[in-house]
Amino acid sequence: AQKITQTQPGMFVQEKEAVTLDCTYDTSDQSYGLFWYKQPSSGEMIFLIYQGSYDEQNATEGRYSLNFQKARKSANLVISASQLGDSAMYFCAMREPAAGNKLTFGGGTRVLVKP
Amino acid sequence: SAVISQKPSRDICQRGTSLTIQCQVDSQVTMMFWYRQQPGQSLTLIATANQGSEATYESGFVIDKFPISRPNLTFSTLTVSNMSPEDSSIYLCSAGAGAFLMNTEAFFGQGTRLTVV
């Protein structure tokens, strides 16, 4: 079974609008961390935001916020006020200490911001 | 935070040859990881590089094909051996700063874009 599922292979969003990228995960551990990374065409992996399984509040980092619904095992990324530079691949990832703290990545969502 | 320098940034290699990728971190880190990203795909963990002992490989990856060294807490190498066109991918080094607690961001090198012809 997939540990991390991103159901949207690609999305278009109008500049200045908000976009939500879906991520669901599968774990039986109580302690885990969820991450979102951005990968532009240059290939580098840029950390965006983190949510811990015990965090009661949704994480926010500037224009990025994470809609964490623990019971549904979802951790959707919301990008507000999209900019042309937001066009990239976005990966959701999970870390489980019980699995050696390695990151497991979802399949990614390609976002294209239209002017 | 940790800054990771990875080289080479790209290479074109002949099939049957080997390429060694270097990963240098600007601070001591507990854990280092090597990932492969095939064209249009997500990142797949190859192995965890352990300082002072053999790397821990994920299912589907073997030491003979991807030997890894980690001589100290700031440096690791990944060798892609006896390459074939199927090895054409981006290879990424990753590290966790300090004790690499669960909520610690994983930092990545800029990746090595490998093309095997």
Side-chain angles (χ1 to χ4, degrees), chain A residues 31-33 35 37 39 41-45 47 50 52-53 91 95 97 100-103 105-108, chain B residues 31 33 35 37 41-43 45 48 58 90 92 94 99-110 113:
Chain A
S31 179
Y32 52 88
F35 299 77
Y37 284 84
Q39 187 180 43
S41 57
S42 58
E44 61 188 305
M45 293 291 286
F47 166 76
Y50 165 83
S53 59
F91 291 99
R95 172 180 295 141
N101 267 333
K102 59 191 178 187
L103 280 175
F105 285 84
Chain B
M31 306 184 78
F33 305 90
Y35 289 85
Q37 186 177 25
Q41 302 294 313
S42 184
L43 281 73
L45 181 65
T48 302
E58 297 299 304
I90 298 174
L92 293 122
S94 173
F100 204 58
L101 301 176
M102 186 183 68
N103 63 343
T104 305
E105 166 189 350
F107 300 93
F108 284 83
Q110 70 269 42
R113 196 177 294 266

Side-chain angles (χ1 to χ4, degrees), chain B residues 62-84:
Chain B
V62 295
I63 187 171
D64 290 347
K65 177 67 176 176
F66 298 102
I68 288 170
S69 78
R70 184 153 182 215
N72 55 51
L73 291 174
T74 64
F75 186 77
S76 178
T77 67
L78 169 75
T79 299
V80 186
S81 303
N82 189 25
M83 287 183 286
S84 67

Side-chain angles (χ1 to χ4, degrees), chain B:
Chain B
S1 64
V3 175
I4 301 178
S5 301
Q6 190 175 332
K7 59 181 181 182
S9 58
R10 60 176 63 233
D11 207 340
I12 301 174
C13 299
Q14 295 290 324
R15 67 176 68 201
T17 63
S18 298
L19 176 72
T20 295
I21 303 168
Q22 298 181 3
C23 179
Q24 178 75 53
V25 189
D26 69 343
S27 59
Q28 293 187 342
V29 293
T30 306
M31 306 184 78
M32 295 181 73
F33 305 90
W34 286 97
Y35 289 85
R36 181 177 72 181
Q37 186 177 25
Q38 295 177 300
Q41 302 294 313
S42 184
L43 281 73
T44 300
L45 181 65
I46 297 172
T48 302
N50 302 308
Q51 195 267 329
S53 64
E54 277 195 4
T56 304
Y57 289 84
E58 297 299 304
S59 176
F61 297 96
V62 295
I63 187 171
D64 290 347
K65 177 67 176 176
F66 298 102
I68 288 170
S69 78
R70 184 153 182 215
N72 55 51
L73 291 174
T74 64
F75 186 77
S76 178
T77 67
L78 169 75
T79 299
V80 186
S81 303
N82 189 25
M83 287 183 286
S84 67
E86 291 71 34
D87 294 320
S88 297
S89 297
I90 298 174
Y91 292 86
L92 293 122
C93 170
S94 173
F100 204 58
L101 301 176
M102 186 183 68
N103 63 343
T104 305
E105 166 189 350
F107 300 93
F108 284 83
Q110 70 269 42
T112 297
R113 196 177 294 266
L114 171 63
T115 303
V116 183
V117 297

Side-chain angles (χ1 to χ4, degrees), chain A residues 27-33 52-54 68 70 73 96-98, chain B residues 102:
Chain A
T27 181
S28 56
D29 291 337
Q30 296 300 310
S31 179
Y32 52 88
S53 59
Y54 294 118
F68 181 46
K70 191 171 182 177
K73 293 188 175 178
E96 300 166 283
Chain B
M102 186 183 68

